[in-house]
Amino acid sequence: LLSINLGGLSFAGADVGGFFGEPSAELFTRWYQAGAFTPFFRGHAHLDTKRREPWVFGDPYTAHLKAAAVLRYSLLPHWYSVFYNAYSTGLPVMRPLFMEFPADEGTFAMDHQWMVGSALLVAPVTQQGLTSARVYLPAGPDAHGHLYDNWYDLETLQP
């Protein structure tokens, strides 16, 4: 998706849960949580697959899926701003970190974290059985000359 966005197609995303196959409840939840931070976000599958609406998996998964959807909707003003920026400047909506932090060589090969616009860093948990992931927080000036030395957790608003 990062390459597609860099190529100028910002309204891109994956079929959350995959188009074919039967993801486990955990995999579907992780996919949904990551998908909530991609420009095009939808659950979609082939008609021969099992149902995979958020409520199908039961708790605790339903609660996690609902939280991801609520967070996505709470960020709609940010999404609208970033899409307008993409329209007016050509900058991608979903950006590799090196685009925002070109002086930080640690971001050059990174594809498991990304930016939504210039202000929201996304680092989803993608490994089975884990509930957190290591996050690389770039330091120093960004591409616009702003010094990033304070990062905040989106859910807790704590540094």
Side-chain angles (χ1 to χ4, degrees):
L1 292 176
L2 290 171
S3 295
I4 291 170
N5 271 259
L6 281 173
L9 301 172
S10 282
F11 197 54
D15 292 327
V16 171
F19 192 67
F20 292 108
E22 311 296 340
S24 67
E26 181 184 7
L27 176 59
F28 183 80
T29 300
R30 295 296 179 211
W31 205 326
Y32 201 89
Q33 290 168 327
F37 292 97
T38 61
F40 183 67
F41 172 54
R42 72 173 181 176
H44 182 65
H46 191 268
L47 61 93
D48 292 333
T49 61
K50 291 181 184 177
R51 303 303 306 175
R52 52 180 77 169
E53 286 82 6
W55 54 86
V56 170
F57 296 102
D59 280 327
Y61 303 105
T62 299
H64 297 308
L65 295 166
K66 179 182 176 183
V70 167
L71 182 56
R72 166 74 177 211
Y73 278 94
S74 74
L75 292 170
L76 277 181
H78 181 70
W79 283 106
Y80 276 95
S81 296
V82 173
F83 269 103
Y84 180 76
N85 184 265
Y87 159 77
S88 61
T89 68
L91 288 170
V93 170
M94 186 177 177
R95 305 172 187 174
L97 267 65
F98 69 77
M99 241 184 116
E100 290 301 320
F101 302 95
D104 187 339
E105 293 182 16
T107 65
F108 291 1
M110 195 173 290
D111 63 358
H112 63 284
Q113 292 182 197
W114 63 89
M115 301 290 290
V116 175
S118 63
L120 181 61
L121 185 144
V122 180
V125 177
T126 57
Q127 291 186 322
Q128 185 173 1
L130 297 183
T131 58
S132 63
R134 288 184 142 285
V135 179
Y136 182 82
L137 300 175
D142 65 8
H144 315 287
H146 302 115
L147 185 61
Y148 269 76
D149 55 357
N150 290 323
W151 291 90
Y152 294 88
D153 183 282
L154 185 60
E155 293 179 5
T156 66
L157 303 179
Q158 298 297 312

